[in-house]
Amino acid sequence: MTVEKLVYGGDGLARLEGRVVLAPLVLPGERIRASAAQEKPGLVRARVLQVLEASPERVAAACPFFERCGGCQYQHASYALQLEAKRGILAEELRRLGGIEPPARIEVVPGEPWGYRNRTQIHFHEGRLGFRRMRSHELCAVDQCPIASPRINEVIRTLAAMQRDPRWPRFLRSLEVFTDEEQVQLNVIDTGRPVARRFFEWCAESIPGLVSGALDYQGRFRVSGSSFFQANRFLADRLAEAALAGAEGGRALDLYAGVGLFSIPLAGRFREVTAVEAGRGAVRDLEFNAARAGCANLHAVQSSTEAFLAALETAPDFVLLDPPRAGLGKPVVARLSALRPPKITIVACDPSTLARDLAGLSAAGYAIAGLTLVDLFPQTYHLEAVVRLERSGG
């Protein structure tokens, strides 16, 4: 077969005898030989046996664990091709799932291809440490991660050495490591039983800068263990710039506000900003961050977005939404459609749920005024999209 294109999820798409064939670790234009791994009517998931004709954009992977570790899907592609593929995938998902024609020009904000992650989950099993294998829950043991920051790689090496010590809790299954390269936060993700305080005291002896509780990210954002913060250490400010482009006025809402990445700059553009966040810890962080930044016009509300919008009586001038991967959902789309704010910006990490949400807002009279792809996750199929919407006719 000849691979036609890359699709969301990292696979390449080819066609054979009227059926769609999806195969991993291939590139557009490549001639491949593959065997069926799973078959459904009209669809085959394949295992690549041989690349007969390689793309000129194929490169040598920088990571020795690539093709085994499930964290990256695109290390075999030049970074220019990765950006081109993601732009095409975003446009296709909007057309296919939302019936929406994307703008002729999709802005792209590239990222640093390596060493960008400030947050990652590390799994432990039978004295080994690593990530999940590709398309598996089994452990892929590693001793480094090229897309993780230098400090995270230091922590990986330290934890690997600590695992050989009898004091290591064998019931611990996974930890999240978060860092701003000065401080380090460890959060327990999965464990067979509670992890004692003395484990973290022991970690502090070997991990310089380990904090207990919240991490003060670059002295700008306090981030507690349960709070969300963007995982790219280079592009958080660029993402905020893209999301706030052209936004200013009287009243603004920041929904799914987190610790205030968007709320705080919004407070410099609007007379009044309400930031809505469901997590209690994140709201406390947001209030702390806003007070430190001197944002007296920023009011934080602990609430789900659905409940807050249901009680809202008048539309603000601008609404910014940064929902989780599941997207906005029908209740939020319906309430926004009824409130009819003149401008809405959505920051989305899943193009399929974004397409669904945009279809509902389009039916309510909103049109895309601008679309930006921010590449927060180089070497992977993940992408971040910023969509600026305006009501037709103003």
Side-chain angles (χ1 to χ4, degrees):
M1 294 159 285
T2 298
V3 179
E4 295 180 12
K5 59 186 176 183
L6 296 178
V7 297
Y8 189 61
D11 286 339
L13 182 148
R15 300 179 196 274
L16 182 67
E17 299 175 352
R19 293 191 293 176
V20 169
V21 180
L22 297 178
L25 307 171
V26 296
L27 298 177
E30 290 189 329
R31 186 80 176 164
I32 65 169
R33 195 164 64 87
S35 64
Q38 183 182 14
E39 296 189 55
K40 296 180 180 180
L43 175 66
V44 179
R45 293 195 175 275
R47 181 184 304 107
V48 177
L49 300 175
Q50 185 180 5
V51 177
L52 302 172
E53 297 175 19
S55 165
E57 298 297 327
R58 180 174 281 273
V59 299
C63 178
F65 308 106
F66 182 63
E67 298 189 15
R68 287 178 287 153
C69 174
C72 294
Q73 298 78 37
Y74 287 168
Q75 284 196 27
H76 61 305
S78 70
Y79 189 51
L81 178 61
Q82 292 182 37
L83 294 177
E84 178 186 340
K86 289 183 180 184
R87 178 157 42 190
I89 288 167
L90 176 58
E92 180 176 350
E93 292 290 287
L94 295 187
R95 290 191 189 102
R96 185 174 64 88
L97 298 177
I100 294 168
E101 186 60 30
R105 184 165 183 259
I106 299 176
E107 301 277 351
V108 175
V109 178
E112 171 58 47
W114 306 102
Y116 62 84
R117 284 198 70 101
N118 58 24
R119 186 190 295 268
T120 195
Q121 287 188 18
I122 301 173
H123 303 281
F124 308 96
H125 183 65
E126 296 181 349
R128 299 179 302 152
L129 149 165
F131 305 119
R132 299 296 188 201
R133 283 186 173 272
M134 184 172 288
R135 296 179 176 174
S136 170
H137 290 292
E138 294 181 3
L139 185 78
C140 176
V142 305
D143 58 12
Q144 61 167 304
C145 176
I147 66 171
S149 76
R151 197 63 192 277
I152 286 180
N153 277 291
E154 290 176 10
V155 174
I156 288 174
R157 291 190 290 271
T158 299
L159 293 176
M162 292 175 67
Q163 268 196 297
R164 297 190 287 270
D165 191 293
R167 291 174 288 178
W168 182 267
R170 302 298 166 187
F171 52 83
L172 179 61
R173 300 189 188 104
S174 62
L175 284 175
E176 179 187 67
V177 184
F178 177 48
T179 181
D180 65 352
E181 297 305 286
E182 295 294 332
Q183 305 160 83
V184 176
Q185 183 185 75
L186 295 180
N187 300 310
V188 174
I189 302 299
D190 188 14
T191 182
R193 60 178 187 263
V195 179
R197 182 185 297 272
R198 63 178 176 271
F199 169 74
F200 296 98
E201 293 171 348
W202 177 38
C203 288
E205 297 172 5
S206 302
I207 301 174
L210 184 68
V211 298
S212 175
L215 185 149
D216 195 12
Y217 195 85
Q218 297 178 347
R220 298 169 57 202
F221 297 100
R222 190 181 77 178
V223 184
S224 297
S226 60
S227 300
F228 171 77
F229 196 78
Q230 294 293 344
N232 189 306
R233 67 193 182 107
F234 300 120
L235 289 183
D237 289 336
R238 294 289 301 277
L239 179 65
E241 290 170 8
L244 273 56
E248 59 183 359
R251 293 174 56 220
L253 288 182
D254 180 12
L255 305 177
Y256 313 93
V259 302
L261 177 64
F262 304 117
S263 308
I264 290 173
L266 272 174
R269 295 165 174 254
F270 288 83
R271 290 190 298 275
E272 178 186 342
V273 176
T274 301
V276 180
E277 167 59 41
R280 181 178 301 175
V283 170
R284 289 197 294 262
D285 289 339
L286 196 159
E287 291 173 334
F288 178 90
N289 296 331
R292 178 165 58 181
C295 300
N297 60 333
L298 198 165
H299 176 56
V301 176
Q302 184 186 349
S303 170
S304 70
T305 290
E306 292 87 343
F308 180 85
L309 288 179
L312 191 65
E313 297 180 353
T314 59
D317 302 301
F318 176 73
V319 179
L320 187 145
L321 306 103
D322 183 15
R325 191 168 300 279
L328 304 180
K330 290 182 179 180
V332 171
V333 169
R335 188 60 186 143
L336 288 172
S337 301
L339 286 167
R340 302 168 61 185
K343 292 185 178 182
I344 297 174
T345 290
I346 303 173
V347 179
C349 59
D350 188 309
S352 58
T353 57
L354 172 63
R356 177 204 64 198
D357 294 336
L358 289 179
L361 290 168
S362 176
Y366 285 93
I368 297 177
L371 178 57
T372 303
L373 189 157
V374 184
D375 193 26
L376 295 185
F377 307 102
Q379 316 306 330
T380 82
Y381 71 84
H382 298 289
L383 59 88
E384 200 86 2
V386 178
V387 188
R388 296 179 295 280
L389 302 171
E390 295 181 1
R391 278 188 56 80
S392 301

